[in-house]
Amino acid sequence: MNEGERFHCPSCGEAAFVKKKKIMDGWTVTGEEAVCSFCGAAVPNGENGTTSAREGKTADGTSAKSSLLAFFGEDENLVEKRPVFEEAEKHFCRDCVFAIANPFAIICTKSGEEVQPMADCAAFQAKGKKDS
């Protein structure tokens, strides 16, 4: 059974939800078991959804990572090679040659106004590349 499913608990006689409980060996998590949300008794059927945290395997024997990737329709070989963040050109005022920063504000010398550090404008020029 999956966490959050409703079932009738034979121990307490209530209509309860399945809750996952970690099985500990000292300070190490060795697995999980499905228990009743009211009384804490183990779910009675044999297929209670236990997983081994040490091996990262699900109840059907597949790895947790491949199960998640299959859910999202991804190929396991492509995920590792995909970049985390796309490199995009950033035009933040804090990186502009016209910005003068002090502890209280950032002033744009081109417009003469106070600007936000993450603001973006058309007059942006990267520091070290001033054309005028």
Side-chain angles (χ1 to χ4, degrees):
M1 292 189 131
N2 294 328
E3 189 171 18
E5 284 185 42
R6 286 186 73 122
F7 76 106
H8 183 77
C9 180
S11 298
C12 63
E14 296 289 329
F17 294 98
V18 175
K19 184 172 96 171
K20 296 289 183 176
K21 178 182 170 188
K22 294 190 183 329
I23 301 170
M24 303 290 288
D25 180 22
W27 291 101
T28 308
V29 177
T30 57
E32 291 181 332
E33 69 175 339
V35 296
C36 172
S37 60
F38 284 115
C39 66
V43 174
N45 61 357
E47 185 179 327
N48 62 358
T50 58
T51 60
S52 171
R54 203 176 275 287
E55 297 175 10
K57 302 281 185 187
T58 58
D60 61 354
T62 60
S63 74
K65 180 180 178 182
S66 58
S67 296
L68 180 66
L69 292 174
F71 176 75
F72 287 115
E74 298 282 338
D75 182 13
E76 189 169 353
N77 298 326
L78 296 177
V79 173
E80 300 299 326
K81 298 174 183 150
R82 189 179 328 156
V84 176
F85 295 105
E86 296 288 330
E87 284 298 320
E89 198 169 328
K90 299 169 185 77
H91 294 159
F92 297 135
C93 285
R94 68 169 187 210
D95 300 327
C96 182
V97 71
F98 298 115
I100 296 178
N102 67 43
F104 306 106
I106 296 178
I107 308 296
C108 178
T109 57
K110 188 145 184 134
S111 66
E113 298 178 0
E114 182 178 337
V115 294
Q116 296 296 318
M118 301 299 281
D120 190 10
C121 74
F124 174 84
Q125 288 182 12
K127 289 183 181 177
K129 296 182 181 180
K130 187 174 181 180
D131 293 333
S132 54

